């Protein structure tokens, strides 16, 4: 990560390829989501109930985790608890080493992005391959995903074609059907060779210990069916109480993410293969990851743990749509990332993120769980001001303003000067380049010239007119 | 290991005392502990003809080929036509309805070597449920019903009986709770394998079957 959000955003704004790629995707996803929600009977009610069940779950999370663990054990899975990303990686590599695993096939998982488990596998000499098409291309390109459900939203088809041609020694193509066929051929072998499958969890169902996975491609089915060892890495917040809740969340997730009524494949895994089964893993492990989640739960942004990672707030966000996911500097981009990232990684290095928003509320509008993202962004801004040191110029500036503004004569005199200076620079009522500290404002937009008369004098004049 | 467990659960328990977790309005919670699905009150049980109509409509919208056959013999004929000349992988023959088992005699099975299964050109399954609302097939893994059959070949043919139809996901899950509890893997197949990862352009048949056909019998 180089520089801060502001610098990365500026670079992104100048990247024309990125704008082509983002434009081709995000606007369309917004339309598809709206159409998807419109096809859901009683959509508002379903969202209310989904929200209620998530919030209720958070209130009783410890009990739910204990119950979930008990069901997992009954189903024959082994449960591990990881306090940090490093702990999770150590546990997973240990499982792999003990089972003599040489190759791992991964289905798309944000939790594993968060812990950077691929690096841990590679350091242990274990091969690992991403099997979601987008994530696979990210891995081939040595890039990073930039969207929660569309990892290569920042790439054009031409860029993907060049990466595949270079890395897989196949003829260049910018036809998506051909590119997908290349990936299918390569990854089919990986699925058949892998000793271990690794996935996240879209949901964990408390009442029966089922791990619910959704994919459109079928890669999660492959990695839960073919390898002999299966590991789930999931955040402790990814639970839903019952199958009725799951039903509701599945409808909302698919519609909010892609506008589909249901994702192509929804799989419920309940433990390793049973006697008489021809396929399925011999052993199944579930790693429950905290990594800052319990800290988030204790604070002002606890609500964000209800997020189901649909990506709708990214597509709706005018900031995300302009700068893309990489500008946010970590695994989770967009409005949700601006809350989750400071929660997991600490506010200090990411204090700019809560300000990477105009607080327009589009994110809250589209959130299937109705998370109050603007409120949480404001809470984090508040915290950033309280706990981090603001630049000296800003602190002095605010102090100076307070002094001037609390003395009426001084204030009147100062505004008179400022007004005169600004009016002298205006052309047709607009100032294109303001002087001194005000130049920051006019770097990206024009400033309306001050009125000929201040509000105060206008008010006095009108008051005088009325009494006479 | 238990140290981490206790530490996390302890932190979670303390966290909910200080965390700002909005409370759920009571009318948004489930009055019955969460078993009732949305919209139940207004709805009567739909008849099977309407269920089948809806199922076919939804499946077709997903790009699934659907065939409704009047007799068991017609189902068998349809299946023979669909798989003509293809290398077949199938669920165990005794698990296939409409006496289709004899058609797949000698086919590869879920117990066949993995490398052979991977070369199959069509996979034939029945189903444990069919969801009308979404056009989905519910496939529950178990002896003779390997998930590889509906996953590895590029073409999947599923045989559906009218009694397999349920209106909604939750109806199936409730009706077949026992079967689900006995299985380690239940998958709902909703159309062919697809991706839109590259510029949102729809591409069919990435890892799973790119072609899905459903034959509904009497």
């Amino acid at each position: 990560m180089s520089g801060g959000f502001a610098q990365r955003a500026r670079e992104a704004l100048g990247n024309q390829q990125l704008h082509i790629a983002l434009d081709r995707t995000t606007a369309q996803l917004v339309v598809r989501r709206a159409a998807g929600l419109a096809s859901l009977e009683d959509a508002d009610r379903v969202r209310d109930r989904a929200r209620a069940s998530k919030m209720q779950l958070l209130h009783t999370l410890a009990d739910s985790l204990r119950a979930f663990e008990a069901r997992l054990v009954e189903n024959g899975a082994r449960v591990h608890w990881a306090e940090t990303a490093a702990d999770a990686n150590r546990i997973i590599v240990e499982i792999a080493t003990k089972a003599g695993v040489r190759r791992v096939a991964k289905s798309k998982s944000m939790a594993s992005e968060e812990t950077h488990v691929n690096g841990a596998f590679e350091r242990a000499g274990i091969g690992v391959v991403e099997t979601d098409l987008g994530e696979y291309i990210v891995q081939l390109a040595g890039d990073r995903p930039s969207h929660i459900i569309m990892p290569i939203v920042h790439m054009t088809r031409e860029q993907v074609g060049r990466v595949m041609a270079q890395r897989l020694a196949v003829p260049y193509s910018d036809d998506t059907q051909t590119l997908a066929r290349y990936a299918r051929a390569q990854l089919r072998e990986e699925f058949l060779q892998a000793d271990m499958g690794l996935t996240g969890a879209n949901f964990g169902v408390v009442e029966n210990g089922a791990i619910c996975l959704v994919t459109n491609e079928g890669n999660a089915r492959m990695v839960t069916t073919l390898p002999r060892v299966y590991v789930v890495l999931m955040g402790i917040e990814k639970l839903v109480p019952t199958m009725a809740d799951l039903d509701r969340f599945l409808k909302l997730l698919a519609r909010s993410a892609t506008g589909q009524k249901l994702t192509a494949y929804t799989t419920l895994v309940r433990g390793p293969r049973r006697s008489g089964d021809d396929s399925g893993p011999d052993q199944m492990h579930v790693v429950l990851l905290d990594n800052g989640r319990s800290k988030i739960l204790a604070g002002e942004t606890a609500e964000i743990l209800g997020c189901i990672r649909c990506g709708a707030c990214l597509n709706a966000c005018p900031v995300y749509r302009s700068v893309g996911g990489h500008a946010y500097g970590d695994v989770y981009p967009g409005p949700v990332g601006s809350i989750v990232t400071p929660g997991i990684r600490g506010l200090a290095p990411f204090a700019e993120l809560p300000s990477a928003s105009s607080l327009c509320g589009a994110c809250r509008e589209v959130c299937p769980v109705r998370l109050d993202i603007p409120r949480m962004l404001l809470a984090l801004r508040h915290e950033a001001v309280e706990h981090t040191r603001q630049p000296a110029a800003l602190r002095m500036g605010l102090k100076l303003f307070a002094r001037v503004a609390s003395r009426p004569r001084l204030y009147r005199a100062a505004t008179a000067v400022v007004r005169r200076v600004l009016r002298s620079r205006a052309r047709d009522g607009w100032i294109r380049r303001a002087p001194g500290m005000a130049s920051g404002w006019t770097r990206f937009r024009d400033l309306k010239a001050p009125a000929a008369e201040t509000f105060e004098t206008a008010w006095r004049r009108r008051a005088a007119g009325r009494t006479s | 290991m238990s140290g981490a467990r206790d530490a996390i659960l302890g932190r979670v328990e303390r966290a909910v005392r200080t965390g700002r977790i909005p409370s759920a309005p009571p009318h948004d919670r489930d009055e019955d502990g969460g078993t009732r699905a949305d919209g139940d009150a207004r709805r009567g049980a739909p008849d099977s003809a309407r269920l089948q109509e809806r199922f076919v409509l939804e499946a077709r919208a997903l790009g699934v080929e659907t065939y409704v056959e009047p007799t068991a013999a017609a189902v068998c004929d349809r299946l023979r036509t669909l798989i003509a000349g293809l290398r077949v992988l199938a669920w165990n023959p005794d698990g296939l309805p409409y006496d289709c088992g004899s058609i797949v005699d000698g086919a590869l099975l879920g117990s066949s070597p993995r490398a052979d299964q991977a070369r199959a050109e069509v996979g034939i399954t029945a189903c444990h449920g069919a969801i009308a609302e979404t056009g989905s097939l519910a496939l529950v893994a178990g002896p003779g019903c390997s998930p590889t059959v509906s996953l590895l070949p590029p073409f999947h043919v599923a045989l559906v009986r009218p009694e397999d139809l349920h209106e909604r996901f939750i109806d199936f899950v409730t009706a077949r709770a026992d079967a689900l509890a006995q299985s380690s893997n239940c998958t709902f197949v909703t159309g062919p394998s697809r991706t839109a990862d590259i510029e949102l352009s729809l591409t069919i048949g990435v890892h799973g079957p790119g072609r899905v056909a459903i034959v509904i019998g009497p």
Side-chain angles (χ1 to χ4, degrees):
Chain A
M1 192 181 65
S2 62
F5 176 85
Q7 190 195 323
R8 288 190 300 270
R10 209 167 300 137
E11 283 162 16
L13 286 169
N15 180 344
Q16 203 183 348
Q17 287 277 323
L18 177 67
H19 286 284
I20 295 170
L22 282 173
D23 287 348
R24 282 179 187 172
T25 305
T26 50
Q28 215 178 336
L29 282 171
V30 168
V31 174
R32 289 189 192 178
R33 176 207 161 267
L37 260 289
S39 78
L40 179 60
E41 190 187 343
D42 245 354
D44 281 340
R45 180 98 183 106
V46 176
R47 287 168 74 187
D48 288 340
R49 293 178 81 166
R51 174 180 174 80
S53 101
K54 264 290 179 191
M55 293 308 130
Q56 189 58 28
L57 177 103
L58 291 179
H59 277 289
T60 58
L61 185 57
D63 286 340
S64 297
L65 281 165
R66 287 192 193 95
F68 183 59
E69 178 189 37
R71 298 293 92 73
L72 286 171
V73 171
E74 282 168 15
N75 291 344
R78 285 208 44 198
V79 181
H80 310 260
W81 298 75
E83 293 204 58
T84 64
D87 288 349
N89 292 347
R90 184 177 43 72
I91 291 166
I92 294 168
V93 169
E94 253 173 46
I95 294 168
T97 313
K98 221 178 270 177
V101 166
R102 295 168 59 189
R103 261 198 105 60
V104 179
K106 258 182 77 185
S107 183
K108 185 170 161 33
S109 149
M110 291 309 293
S112 74
E113 290 288 338
E114 180 185 324
T115 68
H116 300 288
V117 73
N118 290 9
F121 278 130
E122 278 153 19
R123 282 191 293 280
I126 297 167
V128 56
V129 63
E130 297 283 353
T131 63
D132 171 83
L133 178 61
E135 294 282 348
Y136 177 60
I137 292 161
V138 164
Q139 193 182 24
L140 285 180
D143 201 345
R144 289 181 301 129
S146 71
H147 189 290
I148 290 176
I149 62 151
M150 300 274 163
I152 51 168
V153 66
H154 60 286
M155 290 172 92
T156 60
R157 71 180 80 202
E158 295 83 2
Q159 288 174 304
V160 174
R162 282 195 292 276
V163 169
M164 283 208 170
Q166 271 170 21
R167 300 299 312 277
L168 302 177
V170 291
Y172 169 84
S173 170
D174 55 20
D175 169 51
T176 53
Q177 199 79 41
T178 308
L179 295 172
R181 217 172 46 235
Y182 290 159
R184 179 184 167 103
Q186 291 283 331
L187 289 172
R188 183 50 72 98
E189 280 314 302
E190 298 285 353
F191 288 127
L192 292 166
Q193 302 299 323
D195 312 289
M196 180 168 136
L198 176 65
T199 71
N202 291 98
F203 305 99
V205 185
V206 175
E207 74 171 343
N208 59 19
I211 300 292
C212 179
L213 297 164
V214 302
T215 68
N216 273 315
E217 299 174 11
N219 50 323
R221 293 188 68 194
M222 292 281 186
V223 305
T224 56
T225 303
L226 300 177
R228 59 189 167 83
V229 181
Y230 171 44
V231 178
V232 183
L233 172 63
M234 62 186 287
I236 52 173
E237 84 285 16
K238 301 238 68 167
L239 303 180
V240 296
T242 66
M243 292 295 280
D245 292 305
L246 179 68
D247 181 23
R248 221 166 271 144
F249 280 109
L250 287 173
K251 287 173 179 164
L252 289 173
L253 175 60
R255 285 175 168 86
S256 303
T258 59
Q260 291 168 271
K261 285 183 182 168
L262 202 58
T263 312
Y265 300 115
T266 302
T267 298
L268 300 168
V269 186
R270 287 208 221 178
R273 77 160 80 185
R274 313 252 169 129
S275 74
D277 284 357
D278 292 321
S279 60
D282 297 324
Q283 42 175 300
M284 173 173 169
H285 301 262
V286 177
V287 182
L288 296 167
L289 175 70
D290 182 341
N291 201 35
R293 287 164 175 78
S294 57
K295 203 182 75 204
I296 295 175
L297 186 65
E300 280 290 311
T301 60
E303 191 182 340
I304 200 68
L305 297 175
C307 169
I308 60 170
R309 307 283 189 259
C310 68
C313 63
L314 279 58
N315 307 325
C317 177
V319 175
Y320 177 90
R321 286 168 67 161
S322 305
V323 302
H326 289 159
Y328 293 80
D330 205 53
V331 176
Y332 299 101
V336 58
S338 296
I339 298 166
V340 170
T341 303
I344 290 175
R345 306 276 313 272
L347 182 56
F350 295 98
E352 282 176 296
L353 287 187
S355 298
S357 162
S358 63
L359 300 177
C360 70
C363 46
R364 179 178 48 203
E365 203 62 39
V366 298
C367 177
V369 199
R370 302 194 195 281
L371 301 179
D372 194 348
I373 294 171
R375 179 191 67 74
M376 290 186 272
L377 290 171
L378 273 173
L380 286 176
R381 287 184 190 185
H382 184 78
E383 203 176 313
V385 171
E386 295 273 290
H387 297 291
T388 62
R389 210 173 153 72
Q390 299 298 309
L394 181 62
R395 277 183 291 137
M396 303 242 307
L398 287 173
K399 235 179 235 170
L400 185 68
F401 178 78
R403 199 167 284 184
V404 173
S406 55
R407 289 168 177 73
R409 276 170 178 225
L410 193 54
Y411 179 78
R412 251 173 248 133
T415 47
V417 173
V418 169
R419 206 170 63 245
R420 201 165 309 137
V421 171
L422 288 178
R423 283 179 64 80
S424 75
R425 292 179 160 252
R427 300 281 174 275
D428 307 324
W430 289 94
I431 298 149
R432 263 116 204 155
R433 285 182 62 186
M437 280 171 73
S439 67
W441 178 275
T442 50
R443 190 145 48 151
F444 299 111
R445 48 210 170 316
D446 296 343
L447 177 65
K448 190 102 175 80
E453 184 176 43
T454 66
F455 176 78
E456 207 186 339
T457 41
W459 182 261
R460 283 214 184 126
R461 187 169 47 72
R462 287 182 52 175
R466 212 174 299 143
T467 48
S468 61
Chain B
M1 215 77 328
S2 74
R5 177 186 188 273
D6 295 344
I8 292 171
L9 289 173
R11 276 202 300 273
V12 167
E13 256 160 13
R14 285 191 298 279
V16 296
R17 292 202 285 266
T18 59
R20 182 159 169 180
I21 310 167
S23 56
H27 65 272
D28 286 342
R29 290 189 209 143
D30 290 327
E31 301 79 1
D32 55 353
T35 51
R36 211 171 72 182
D38 305 296
D40 260 1
R42 295 190 310 277
R43 214 188 306 248
D47 62 77
S48 67
R50 241 195 62 218
L51 274 186
Q52 184 164 315
E53 201 178 308
R54 176 81 193 272
F55 177 72
V56 169
L57 191 77
E58 294 290 341
R60 284 196 179 143
L62 295 162
V64 174
E65 302 164 29
T66 52
Y67 306 94
V68 181
E69 304 295 351
T71 63
V75 172
C76 291
D77 285 346
R78 175 64 66 189
L79 182 61
R80 274 193 209 95
T81 314
L82 284 169
I83 67 172
L86 299 178
R87 196 182 297 133
V88 177
L89 169 66
W91 278 7
N92 285 7
D94 54 9
L96 299 180
Y98 304 117
D99 295 323
C100 288
S102 58
I103 299 172
V104 300
D105 211 22
L108 293 160
L109 300 176
S111 54
S112 305
R114 199 55 66 74
D116 294 342
Q117 293 187 51
R119 281 195 292 275
E121 293 160 315
V122 61
I124 300 173
T125 70
C127 72
H128 298 90
I131 318 297
E133 190 179 61
T134 52
S136 311
L137 297 163
L139 307 171
V140 181
C145 306
S146 172
T148 52
V149 179
S150 59
L151 181 61
L152 293 177
F155 179 25
H156 173 204
V157 181
L159 306 170
V160 175
R161 302 165 306 167
E163 58 263 44
D164 295 325
L165 287 164
H166 298 269
E167 189 182 14
R168 296 163 306 174
F169 173 87
I170 195 67
D171 299 329
F172 165 77
V173 165
T174 312
R176 302 299 303 271
D178 289 348
L180 286 175
Q182 280 160 27
S183 170
S184 63
N185 184 307
C186 173
T187 292
F188 297 85
V189 174
T190 310
S193 161
R194 52 188 277 167
T195 185
D197 271 356
I198 306 171
E199 286 187 5
L200 214 57
S201 99
L202 180 64
T203 308
I204 296 296
V206 194
H207 297 312
R211 184 180 171 202
V212 180
I214 292 174
V215 185
I216 306 173

